[in-house]
């Protein structure tokens, strides 16, 4: 995992700088600037999301299931008390 220790200090610095800029501009102009910054940030975020999604779709090959399609895998959850999927498909709820 990469270390991103710089993200929090940079974010804090941006909040402080924008706060000072908004105080200097006054309420009306600060509102207009904040709306513009929010709209631009939203459009950029949407664009990056679409680009990332399309890149992952093209990069990942189609996966083939290792299990037989006519028989689902057995799933047993012991701590759930009353969960069993697969052979002997029963359900007992005792809590």
């Amino acid at each position: 995992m990469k270390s991103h220790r710089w993200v929090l200090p940079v974010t804090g610095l941006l909040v402080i700088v924008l706060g000072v800029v908004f105080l200097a501009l006054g309420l009306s102009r600060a509102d207009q600037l904040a709306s513009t910054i929010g709209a631009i940030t939203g459009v950029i975020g949407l664009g990056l999301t679409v680009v990332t999604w399309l890149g992952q779709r093209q990069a990942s090959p189609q996966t083939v299931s290792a299990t037989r399609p006519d028989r689902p895998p057995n799933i047993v959850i012991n701590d759930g008390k009353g969960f069993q999927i697969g052979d002997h498909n029963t359900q007992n709820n005792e809590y």
Side-chain angles (χ1 to χ4, degrees):
M1 185 169 90
K2 292 182 180 180
S3 177
H4 298 291
R5 294 180 189 200
W6 57 271
V7 173
L8 188 59
V10 169
T11 303
L13 183 63
L14 282 174
V15 168
I16 291 171
V17 168
L18 283 176
V20 170
V21 169
F22 289 160
L23 283 174
L25 288 177
L27 187 59
S28 179
R29 299 263 309 159
D31 181 43
Q32 293 172 351
L33 182 61
S35 296
T36 303
I37 290 172
I40 291 171
T41 303
V43 170
I44 290 172
L46 179 63
L48 289 174
T49 301
V50 170
V51 166
T52 303
W53 178 65
L54 289 175
Q56 287 178 348
R57 286 190 62 201
Q58 292 173 354
S60 64
Q62 296 294 328
T63 58
V64 178
S65 176
T67 61
R68 293 176 27 200
D70 59 337
R71 182 176 172 200
N74 291 337
I75 300 173
V76 178
I77 302 174
N78 293 330
D79 292 337
K81 293 185 180 179
F83 236 106
Q84 182 174 355
I85 301 172
D87 293 338
H88 313 295
N89 196 8
T90 60
Q91 179 175 347
N92 298 316
N93 294 328
E94 297 175 17
Y95 296 102

